[in-house]
Amino acid sequence: ATLLGATAALPKQLRQLLQMAWFLRMARCLKILQQLHPALFSRKLSGSIRHVFNSSALAILAVLSFLVVVSASLLYLVESDRCEERGLPCAGFESIPASFWFSTITLTTVGYGDVYPFTALGRAVAAFLAVCAVILLSLSAALLSVNLAAATPSRSTQHLEQREKEMLMDLKKSWDTLAHSQ
């Protein structure tokens, strides 16, 4: 709304120039998508992505789900008992399902800040959970990239394999020539 209000005060020619720039940017994006279209729907790429999803994405989701359940349960146990003893508000940790929100947001490294632990032990668990989240995300990225690289044969590897075959054939011909000459 503020952008529209600011552009209303601009002269008509400047507004038309901004609209033209936006149109050119959209046309450029469409051109890039048009160039990517064959690669996005190729059988090799879709097979590679399916292989990566089956091999590593499911494992990552399983570990993430396990951490959410365990951390939500642990935070509920720590926060609900201690908050009631000290008279602190336990907002967000009234039950294990309510604790899932904090665990999920922390493990995905979003961290809205609307729910947070009040006790020292709860904060220690949350800090450990945040460190686990960073480690999980970095290992996930590495695992996905390694599996994607393994699933998609690169041209350079194919070229090297062909070159090695040619060299072995040349070596065999030379060996046969040497063996027959004696």
Side-chain angles (χ1 to χ4, degrees), residues 71-94:
S71 63
S73 302
L74 190 61
L75 281 166
Y76 168 72
L77 290 175
V78 169
E79 287 293 310
S80 65
D81 292 341
R82 307 280 178 158
C83 288
E84 291 173 2
E85 289 173 4
R86 296 181 181 179
L88 297 172
C90 292
F93 302 102
E94 299 88 17

Side-chain angles (χ1 to χ4, degrees), residues 166-178:
E166 291 172 2
M167 289 175 64
L168 286 173
M169 292 301 289
D170 290 341
L171 184 61
K172 183 179 178 188
K173 286 179 186 175
S174 299
W175 182 261
D176 289 342
T177 306
L178 183 62

Side-chain angles (χ1 to χ4, degrees), residues 1-11 14-15 18:
T2 58
L3 183 61
L4 290 175
T7 57
L10 295 174
L14 189 56
R15 281 194 307 248
L18 288 174

Side-chain angles (χ1 to χ4, degrees), residues 47-182:
S48 300
I49 291 172
R50 192 176 308 114
H51 172 73
V52 169
F53 181 76
N54 289 338
S55 62
S56 56
L58 291 177
I60 293 166
L61 288 174
V63 170
L64 186 65
S65 300
F66 174 76
L67 282 173
V68 166
V69 170
V70 169
S71 63
S73 302
L74 190 61
L75 281 166
Y76 168 72
L77 290 175
V78 169
E79 287 293 310
S80 65
D81 292 341
R82 307 280 178 158
C83 288
E84 291 173 2
E85 289 173 4
R86 296 181 181 179
L88 297 172
C90 292
F93 302 102
E94 299 88 17
S95 65
I96 293 176
S99 300
F100 269 67
W101 172 254
F102 178 79
S103 296
T104 303
I105 295 304
T106 304
L107 276 171
T108 56
T109 66
V110 174
Y112 288 123
D114 57 344
V115 177
Y116 52 91
F118 287 97
T119 64
L121 189 57
R123 290 180 182 176
V125 171
F128 179 74
L129 187 61
V131 170
C132 286
V134 172
I135 291 170
L136 180 68
L137 288 176
S138 61
L139 289 177
S140 301
L143 183 63
L144 287 172
S145 64
V146 165
N147 284 337
L148 187 61
T152 55
S154 65
R155 291 183 183 169
S156 60
T157 305
Q158 291 174 348
H159 175 69
L160 288 176
E161 288 174 1
Q162 182 65 29
R163 180 82 174 127
E164 287 174 1
K165 288 178 183 177
E166 291 172 2
M167 289 175 64
L168 286 173
M169 292 301 289
D170 290 341
L171 184 61
K172 183 179 178 188
K173 286 179 186 175
S174 299
W175 182 261
D176 289 342
T177 306
L178 183 62
H180 290 292
S181 66
Q182 293 181 358

